[in-house]
Amino acid sequence: MAKIEKIELRMVDLVPKVKRTDAIQSFVSQETPIVTITDSDGAVGTGYSYTIGTGGSSVMRLLSDHLAPRLIGRDPDMIEAIWHDLEFATHATTIGAITAIAIAAVDTALWDLRAKKQNLPLWKLAGGAKDRCPLYTTEGGWLHIETAALVDDALAAKAKGFRGSKVKIGRPHGSEDLARLSAVRKAVGDGYEIMTDANQGFSVDEAIRRAARLRELDLAWIEEPLPADDIDGHIRLSNSTPTPIAIGESLYSMRHFREYMQKGACSIVQVDVGRIGGITPWLKIAHAAEAFDIPVCPHFLMELHVSLTCAVQNGRYVEYIPQLDQLTGRHMRIEDGHALAPDEPGIGIDWDWDAVKAMSIAEFTTAITKQGN
């Protein structure tokens, strides 16, 4: 039986290709923790997660000081046991972003290792529901972008076969959001989906008011209209509008998702593997959502989420935001507006290790080969 012998830790700080703004923040940097695990058979698995510019150093210290040393000598196939052990070892800091992001990088590496040793792509190992999934794009819909450019981007995406475009909302007055979205709807017609995202920028009353104004546009969803921990507010909003309410990118616990689904506080789940703690809890939430007849449309991380969305029956969309092009050789394949599930064994990411090593921050580059190293 193979044992984990070595863990390598790196962090790369990526600058987004385009300016990214929403109702509450600008996304100017993507800190990307990368974990590589080698077992005694010489098999290697690599996982990663991300921040949007803050907390990366804390994630790396949590990995190097507390989590990675606990992996040495473990059976890498015992992914469930390892996940729960790491969660318990950090129980004083859970549930929260730093711990979830750190555990996610480890868990994803273990799944990559398992899939490679079984000579299977992740999407088949984790379920194999389908080999492709529709795409919608977000990159042309940021809040600072002028209306004409929003329209041009949506028309270009539609021409490529994409199924929808996301437009950020949260302008100072609801009339501005309505005008921008109305222009997009007029241009793309009724058969093309328009997703919206408020990034937790509204109060309950303002969200109800804006949802009512936007109702005529037949939106695919309103994403994160309220602070993520306001379940009662989401219940009020969901009961007030026929427009689907999407949540999940800012939730860090399976139990939070359970509460949202049980209480009818959402109609679309956007569980993010990098924020929920990895593939292990991601799959549990996706299967729970299927029991509630709720689709899964994961947030961000398209290079990884294409495999998970294809793994489960209720995976509906992959969000198109390229993030790893600077670090990979082969990029995600797209055909007629669909993301194709990778054929290669593992999580399907072709790391360009020369680029990864060249861009790694030396301060956070560590190799651990024994307890306490």
Side-chain angles (χ1 to χ4, degrees):
M1 180 177 62
K3 301 288 187 180
I4 295 173
E5 286 193 339
K6 182 180 180 181
I7 302 99
E8 296 170 90
L9 306 176
R10 297 183 177 88
M11 187 170 75
V12 174
D13 198 357
L14 299 174
V15 177
K17 291 183 175 183
V18 303
K19 181 180 178 181
R20 296 173 178 171
T21 59
D22 59 42
I24 64 170
Q25 63 201 348
S26 292
F27 182 174
V28 297
S29 171
Q30 180 187 302
E31 298 170 313
T32 308
I34 300 172
V35 174
T36 300
I37 296 174
T38 303
D39 73 11
S40 53
D41 290 336
V44 178
T46 298
Y48 72 109
S49 54
Y50 73 100
T51 81
I52 60 171
T54 58
S57 59
S58 298
V59 171
M60 297 307 294
R61 288 302 300 267
L62 184 61
L63 282 166
S64 64
D65 294 352
H66 301 287
L67 300 185
R70 294 176 178 274
L71 301 175
I72 299 298
R74 299 292 300 266
D75 177 353
D77 259 336
M78 296 187 65
I79 297 176
E80 182 81 15
I82 290 172
W83 193 93
H84 282 280
D85 287 348
L86 295 184
E87 184 192 38
F88 181 78
T90 55
H91 69 276
T93 61
T94 56
I95 297 166
I98 299 299
T99 301
I101 291 167
I103 294 176
V106 172
D107 188 73
T108 304
L110 290 171
W111 277 91
D112 188 45
L113 180 62
R114 172 186 281 180
K116 287 176 177 175
K117 294 194 77 167
Q118 295 190 24
N119 198 34
L120 285 172
L122 174 63
W123 67 275
K124 285 186 177 180
L125 180 66
K130 46 192 172 288
D131 65 1
R132 64 194 59 205
C133 202
L135 283 166
Y136 75 91
T137 180
T138 294
E139 282 292 72
W142 302 98
L143 197 62
H144 68 277
I145 296 175
E146 296 300 322
T147 301
L150 292 178
V151 169
D152 290 344
D153 185 80
L155 288 172
K158 182 180 179 182
K160 293 176 183 177
F162 281 48
R163 297 308 191 261
S165 292
K166 182 187 288 182
V167 178
K168 298 287 184 173
I169 59 176
R171 287 291 185 105
H173 196 275
S175 61
E176 298 176 75
D177 286 339
L178 177 60
R180 285 156 57 84
L181 292 165
S182 295
V184 175
R185 174 57 75 205
K186 182 178 179 181
V188 299
D190 293 335
Y192 186 77
E193 296 286 12
I194 298 175
M195 296 77 173
T196 64
D197 187 355
N199 292 99
Q200 306 182 71
F202 298 142
S203 65
V204 178
D205 290 341
E206 184 63 19
I208 291 172
R209 182 184 181 200
R210 294 208 187 195
R213 293 189 81 152
L214 300 174
R215 176 175 179 171
E216 64 191 67
L217 299 177
D218 189 28
L219 301 176
W221 66 66
I222 300 174
E223 180 178 331
E224 286 204 313
L226 309 172
D229 56 0
D230 186 2
I231 296 178
D232 289 341
H234 281 87
I235 294 170
R236 282 183 57 197
L237 176 60
S238 295
N239 288 338
S240 75
T241 178
T243 303
I245 302 301
I247 58 92
E249 75 173 80
S250 301
L251 298 183
Y252 303 96
S253 164
M254 291 182 288
R255 294 168 186 84
H256 289 164
F257 280 96
R258 180 195 66 194
E259 289 184 85
Y260 266 92
M261 290 187 282
Q262 282 182 333
K263 296 180 178 181
C266 69
S267 42
I268 292 170
V269 161
Q270 295 185 303
V271 57
D272 181 327
V273 70
R275 293 183 173 180
I276 196 59
I279 293 168
T280 297
W282 194 100
L283 289 169
K284 294 177 182 181
I285 292 162
H287 292 313
E290 184 180 3
F292 284 94
D293 198 25
I294 293 176
V296 174
C297 306
H299 164 257
F300 202 40
L301 294 183
M302 69 177 196
E303 296 90 348
L304 179 54
H305 280 141
V306 58
S307 294
L308 293 175
T309 306
C310 288
V312 299
Q313 187 63 37
N314 55 331
R316 179 174 292 179
Y317 284 112
V318 172
E319 181 176 22
Y320 181 80
I321 305 181
Q323 70 152 164
L324 292 181
D325 288 0
Q326 300 173 64
L327 300 179
T328 56
R330 181 186 60 255
H331 300 159
M332 189 179 77
R333 294 177 297 151
I334 299 173
E335 184 178 288
D336 188 29
H338 285 71
L340 305 187
D343 294 326
E344 301 76 20
I347 63 173
I349 294 176
D350 178 28
W351 298 101
D352 178 345
W353 285 109
D354 289 338
V356 171
K357 291 173 183 177
M359 297 178 67
S360 294
I361 301 171
E363 179 184 358
F364 302 118
T365 300
T366 307
I368 295 169
T369 56
K370 61 182 180 180
Q371 287 279 353
N373 188 21

